[in-house]
Amino acid sequence: MHRHGYKGRKFGRETDQRRALTRGLMCSLIKYQSITTTLARAKEIRREAEKLITRAKSGSLADRRIIIARLNDIETANLLIDVVAPQITRDSGYLRIEHAANRKGDNAEMGTISFVDTIDLTKKKSAKKEDK
């Protein structure tokens, strides 16, 4: 058997569990700007999250709806589109993965995934409060 045409890692989970895992990790990454997880998960999240950030930079209604559908969380999607995406200045390579120490229990390779640019999450929120 060949693995031709199979994309992504399975993580030993079924499709719905894997989709929920990636959505949760992407939401956490957007909210907290940096998360530590296994290296394989970080590499898989980077693929998905960078595509979402590229869509968020355009900010059209169609892209907003696609991001909401992929993240399954309206607040996080709005945070990504309204606050995070305007502060990113580069065209690609928005995220970095740094190797961390192996996990103590099972010696799994760990990595920290974070934004390359510094993001200020209070920037847009304070502007909205001033308008009201």
Side-chain angles (χ1 to χ4, degrees):
M1 294 280 289
H2 298 283
R3 275 193 55 90
H4 299 307
Y6 291 94
K7 284 196 296 188
R9 295 168 175 86
K10 294 193 182 250
F11 301 129
R13 298 167 189 258
E14 293 184 8
T15 307
D16 56 344
Q17 296 171 345
R18 190 168 53 246
R19 191 174 294 140
L21 173 74
T22 55
R23 282 179 176 168
L25 288 172
M26 283 193 295
C27 287
S28 296
L29 175 64
I30 294 164
K31 285 180 191 172
Y32 304 114
Q33 301 177 17
S34 175
I35 58 172
T36 301
T37 182
T38 61
L39 200 58
R41 287 179 186 171
K43 287 179 179 179
E44 195 64 26
I45 291 166
R46 183 174 55 184
R47 292 177 59 229
E48 305 267 338
E50 293 214 355
K51 292 174 187 176
L52 288 183
I53 295 167
T54 302
R55 282 193 182 275
K57 286 183 74 170
S58 76
S60 68
L61 179 61
D63 287 334
R64 185 177 291 265
R65 288 177 174 166
I66 289 170
I67 291 168
I68 290 169
R70 298 260 169 86
L71 288 178
N72 227 8
D73 186 8
I74 294 174
E75 294 171 4
T76 307
N78 289 335
L79 180 72
L80 174 64
I81 296 166
D82 298 333
V83 179
V84 175
Q87 295 182 37
I88 296 176
T89 57
R90 54 188 70 234
D91 293 331
S92 64
Y94 314 114
L95 301 172
R96 87 164 50 98
I97 297 174
E98 296 172 345
H99 292 264
N102 289 359
R103 190 161 51 197
K104 199 168 191 178
D106 59 355
N107 206 31
E109 290 182 318
M110 300 295 284
T112 302
I113 182 168
S114 60
F115 286 98
V116 174
D117 297 330
T118 56
I119 309 286
D120 183 18
L121 294 178
T122 60
K123 196 171 251 187
K124 185 73 172 190
K125 290 179 184 177
S126 62
K128 282 187 176 180
K129 288 180 181 176
E130 292 172 2
D131 292 338
K132 292 181 180 179

